[in-house]
Amino acid sequence: MRPRLAMAATSAALVLATSALAACSENTGENGDSDNGGGKQFTSSIATDPKDSQGPAAEVPGATAGGVLKLYKEEDFEHLDPQRTYTFLGMSIQQMFARTLTVFKEDGNGNVLLVGDLATDPGKDVNDDCRTWEYTLKEGVKFEDGSPIRAADVAYGIARSFEESIDGGPTYIQEWLADNPTYNANYKGPYTSGSDTVPGLTVKDDRTLVFAFAKPHCDLPFALSLPTSVPVPKAQDTKTEYDRRVVSSGPYKIKEYVPDTRFVLERNPNWDARTDPLRHAYPDTIEVEIGPNDTAATERVLAGQGADQGGVAWEEIPQALVNQVLGDSSLGDRVLRKTAPSVWYLSINNERIKDVKVRQAIAYAIDKQGLLTTQGGDAAGKLTHTLLADTTIGQTNYPNPYDGGPTGNPEKAKELLGGQKPKLVFMSRTNAFGQQTAPIVEQSLERAGFDVTVQYVEDHNPTARTRGNPYDIYLSNWAADWPSAVSTIPVLWDGRKLGPQGNSNVSYFNADDVNAEIDRVSNLPAGEAGPEWAKVDQMIMEKYVPVVPLFQDNTFMVSGAKVGGLIISEQFGTPVFYNSYLKQ
C-alpha cells in the first residue's frame, strides 16, 4: 500500500492505480524493451507537485528550431475531430495541435507522469471520494485566433461527444456523467437536445469545471487525457465536418489538409510555451504524406535522399526489410524498438457465430505465428492468449484454454466441429496489412474445415463498429488507454454498452455473468482490482472465447538521419513528436 500524498489532486485509490505497475499482481511492472533484453521499469504516476504541470517544457539537449518533419502514412486518419479520435496515430499527431485537460508527460525511458495540460493540475478530488472533481484552467491558454480558452469551451467539446453523429471516440466520461452505458439516452448532445449543458458537468466560471458523478470514478484524471476533453469553440463547430478543420489549442495549427494525400501543420503563434508542460515546436512544419506503404516509406527513409532525411516511416518496418535493418549497425538510434501495449485479436461476431464450439474451433485453428510473421516475426511482437496486454496492472498468463500451438491445430478444431463445415465471411482491410494477413486467416481456418470467404472492405473499422454488420470475423486491436484493465475489459466486453454504431465491443459479446463481474471489480479499490480483472480475463476466454488473442505488438520503425528527439510513447505504443527536431 502506498500512502496518499498530500495534495488535493489525488486520492488514495488513484495513487495506488498509478504507482509502479507492480501493485499486488502477477505483472511486476518489468516492461522490457525489445532491444535491451528487458528489465526496464515502467512507472506511471500522477503529478503531486504543481510545478510538474507548469511550462515551459524542459529543452531537449541539442535541439534546434527549423526544418520540415515528414511523416509517411499509408492511409488517411480515420478522424481528426478530437471527440471522434480513437487511434494511436490520430492521438499522437493530435497532441501537436489540440490540448486536453490532463496529459501524460514521458521521457522515452519508461517514466510517465500525468500532469495538468490545459488544467493547472491533474484535478482536485473535492470530497476525497472520487465523486466530485474540480478542474481549473491555466491563465493564458488560447485558441489559434488568440481568443482565450474558457471552461465553457471544454464543456462544449464534452457535450458534442454525446451526439450520435460524433461517434468513434472514447466514451468513458460520457458514461460516467450519465451513469449509464447508454450515455445519450437522455442528454443527446447540443445538436439534438438543443442545450450545451451536460448533466453532471458544471461550468463554475470561465476557468473552472466541476464533474459530479453518481459513483466514484478515481480514474477521471486519466480519462481526461483523452481527446474528449479537447476544447471546441461553439461558433466554429462544423459538426461532422469538423474533422477537416479543427481549431488549434496547441503549438501547431492546420495549414492544409487534402484527404488521402497530405496533412500539414504550421506553428500556431498564439500558443504560449509557458503554459505547456509537454510540448515544443521545433520544426517549422510537420507534414504527413499519405500514401506510401510500409515498404516504400521504410526504403525512402533508409535511402535518406533530400527531404527524406527528415522523415519517419510511421507504418513500421515490413517483414522483407527486418533483417536488413537489424543487420545495419550504422543506423544506431535511428531504429526505434519498444514493447507496445497493443494486442491484436481475431474478433468473432458473437451475434452471428453463437455456437461456442465453433468459436473454440476458430481459436484452435488460427495460425498466430503465420500472422505475426507477415508483420516482421519476433521483431514485431510476441504471441499471446490473454485479453490483457502484459503492460496492464494485474495481467496473468493463465494456461491457454485453446492451445493450438503457434501455427494452429486443425485436427482439434475438426473434432470440435464434428463434421460441420461452417461458413465464415472474413472482413479484411484493403491496405498492405490486410493483403498480407487475409491469406493466413483463410488458409488456417480452411485447413480446419471452415468454408471461408474473404471480403476486402475500404471502411474496415467503421464497418466493424457497426452493429448488424454482415461479417463473421475480422482482425482488430486494442491497447489500454491507461495502465489499468478499466480501459480494456469494460470497454471491449461489456455488452450493455452496445449501440447501433461506434462500438468498441466489435465482437458484439454480451453475457450477464461477465457484466456482473465487471460491476463487481469496477467497485473494488484500485489496489485490489488488478488481480480480479485478470480473473475476469480468464473467465471470458475459458467460458465464451468471444475473440482469439493473437499477438502483442512491438513498435519497430526507423527514422531519417536528421530526425532528433523522437520517442515512442508508453501510452500509445507509437512515436510522439513533442520533442522532435531536425538536426542541422
Side-chain angles (χ1 to χ4, degrees):
M1 298 289 288
R2 177 177 169 182
R4 185 167 75 91
L5 301 180
M7 181 182 174
T10 61
S11 70
L14 193 54
V15 171
L16 282 169
T18 56
S19 59
L21 294 184
C24 307
S25 73
E26 292 296 315
N27 177 352
T28 64
E30 294 296 321
N31 179 23
D33 286 358
S34 303
D35 58 350
N36 67 5
K40 182 176 289 184
Q41 181 74 33
F42 167 46
T43 63
S44 179
S45 59
I46 285 186
T48 56
D49 185 342
K51 292 181 180 178
D52 289 324
S53 298
Q54 296 174 6
E59 291 295 326
V60 177
T64 55
V68 178
L69 178 67
K70 293 182 67 69
L71 312 175
Y72 306 115
K73 188 178 187 301
E74 183 175 1
E75 294 185 320
D76 203 348
F77 299 98
E78 188 173 310
H79 289 295
L80 289 169
D81 180 332
Q83 276 73 40
R84 306 183 75 177
T85 303
Y86 211 7
T87 64
F88 300 136
L89 304 191
M91 287 191 284
S92 66
I93 193 66
Q94 201 170 71
Q95 282 189 329
M96 303 310 292
F97 63 88
R99 296 178 66 178
T100 44
L101 282 179
T102 65
V103 72
F104 283 102
K105 183 162 64 173
E106 309 185 35
D107 65 359
N109 295 313
N111 298 304
V112 183
L113 188 68
L114 188 80
V115 300
D117 186 1
L118 289 173
T120 56
D121 54 45
K124 179 182 179 182
D125 181 5
V126 176
N127 300 314
D128 202 26
D129 62 1
C130 296
R131 292 174 184 265
T132 304
W133 291 86
E134 185 173 282
Y135 285 83
T136 301
L137 298 189
K138 295 170 181 171
E139 294 184 6
V141 290
K142 298 176 182 179
F143 287 115
E144 64 181 69
D145 62 2
S147 61
I149 297 171
R150 302 166 301 149
D153 299 314
V154 177
Y156 182 75
I158 294 171
R160 67 194 298 274
S161 72
F162 280 77
E163 286 286 342
E164 284 191 1
S165 61
I166 310 297
D167 65 339
T171 61
Y172 302 102
I173 295 168
Q174 302 95 302
E175 291 175 22
W176 296 349
L177 286 167
D179 193 30
N180 188 343
T182 309
Y183 56 84
N184 55 6
N186 295 313
Y187 179 70
K188 299 180 183 296
Y191 318 151
T192 303
S193 293
S195 169
D196 303 345
T197 303
V198 180
L201 179 59
T202 301
V203 178
K204 190 174 177 180
D205 54 45
D206 275 355
R207 292 181 53 212
T208 312
L209 282 166
V210 179
F211 294 80
F213 302 120
K215 299 184 181 72
H217 290 293
C218 296
D219 283 7
L220 180 66
F222 284 165
L224 289 173
S225 72
L226 297 171
T228 313
S229 74
V230 170
V232 176
K234 181 179 178 180
Q236 298 182 63
D237 179 14
T238 52
K239 301 182 179 180
T240 56
E241 291 299 306
Y242 199 62
D243 259 327
R244 296 181 177 273
R245 186 61 178 85
V246 178
V247 178
S248 171
S249 50
Y252 291 85
K253 62 180 181 178
I254 298 172
K255 178 181 180 181
E256 182 183 24
Y257 181 28
V258 182
D260 300 315
T261 304
R262 63 184 171 274
F263 177 69
V264 183
L265 296 173
E266 62 182 354
R267 287 199 189 97
N268 171 15
N270 282 303
W271 168 74
D272 187 346
R274 294 172 297 180
T275 70
D276 198 323
L278 180 75
R279 303 165 184 83
H280 302 96
Y282 292 128
D284 292 328
T285 304
I286 301 175
E287 180 178 338
V288 182
E289 181 179 334
I290 301 165
N293 64 19
D294 52 4
T295 300
T298 302
E299 287 178 339
R300 282 175 59 175
V301 169
L302 289 174
Q305 300 297 312
D308 291 335
Q309 294 179 70
V312 178
W314 213 357
E315 293 293 340
E316 303 196 29
I317 297 167
Q319 180 191 12
L321 297 175
V322 166
N323 290 336
Q324 176 184 336
V325 171
L326 290 176
D328 187 348
S329 59
S330 70
L331 293 173
D333 61 7
R334 291 173 56 192
V335 179
L336 295 91
R337 299 179 65 193
K338 181 169 286 190
T339 299
S342 172
V343 175
W344 280 92
Y345 309 97
L346 180 65
S347 288
I348 305 171
N349 189 330
N350 285 226
E351 292 184 333
R352 291 174 59 88
I353 308 298
K354 298 180 179 180
D355 187 340
V356 69
K357 286 190 175 181
V358 174
R359 300 199 297 267
Q360 291 170 346
I362 292 171
Y364 273 113
I366 197 71
D367 181 359
K368 298 182 182 184
Q369 187 64 54
L371 289 168
L372 181 58
T373 298
T374 67
Q375 302 308 299
D378 293 342
K382 56 187 176 183
L383 302 186
T384 189
H385 62 273
T386 65
L387 299 174
L388 296 172
D390 64 8
T391 53
T392 310
I393 298 170
Q395 187 269 354
T396 302
N397 284 317
Y398 52 81
N400 187 350
Y402 313 106
D403 191 355
T407 59
N409 186 337
E411 297 307 316
K412 181 64 178 178
K414 287 178 182 177
E415 179 184 325
L416 281 164
L417 294 177
Q420 300 177 71
K421 194 169 184 178
K423 293 184 177 181
L424 297 175
V425 182
F426 172 57
M427 177 173 62
S428 180
R429 293 163 176 80
T430 56
N431 62 6
F433 176 88
Q435 300 291 335
Q436 294 158 355
T437 54
I440 306 298
V441 173
E442 180 182 21
Q443 292 162 18
S444 59
L445 293 177
E446 287 192 336
R447 283 196 299 268
F450 289 97
D451 181 356
V452 181
T453 299
V454 179
Q455 293 187 8
Y456 293 92
V457 175
E458 192 75 34
D459 296 326
H460 180 280
N461 288 355
T463 302
R465 292 203 294 258
T466 300
R467 194 172 191 176
N469 74 70
Y471 302 102
D472 299 309
I473 52 176
Y474 25 83
L475 294 174
S476 63
N477 75 327
W478 188 263
D481 294 307
W482 54 86
S484 159
V486 170
S487 59
T488 299
I489 288 178
V491 183
L492 298 188
W493 293 288
D494 185 340
R496 295 167 295 184
K497 298 180 179 182
L498 288 169
Q501 293 177 320
N503 295 291
S504 297
N505 178 357
V506 294
S507 59
Y508 298 94
F509 170 73
N510 187 18
D512 290 343
D513 55 350
V514 171
N515 295 339
E517 280 296 282
I518 288 172
D519 289 343
R520 179 185 71 83
V521 181
S522 294
N523 288 321
L524 290 176
E528 300 174 17
E532 294 302 304
W533 283 122
K535 293 177 184 177
V536 179
D537 178 341
Q538 185 170 358
M539 170 190 176
I540 292 172
M541 283 304 299
E542 289 183 348
K543 189 172 181 180
Y544 295 107
V545 62
V547 300
V548 185
L550 301 169
F551 59 89
Q552 182 173 337
D553 276 327
N554 286 340
T555 301
F556 183 36
M557 58 198 313
V558 64
S559 64
K562 288 190 175 182
V563 178
L566 190 66
I567 64 174
I568 296 178
S569 167
E570 303 281 356
Q571 298 302 309
F572 300 151
T574 192
V576 287
F577 307 106
Y578 44 78
N579 287 341
S580 295
Y581 64 93
L582 280 303
K583 300 174 184 177
Q584 302 303 313

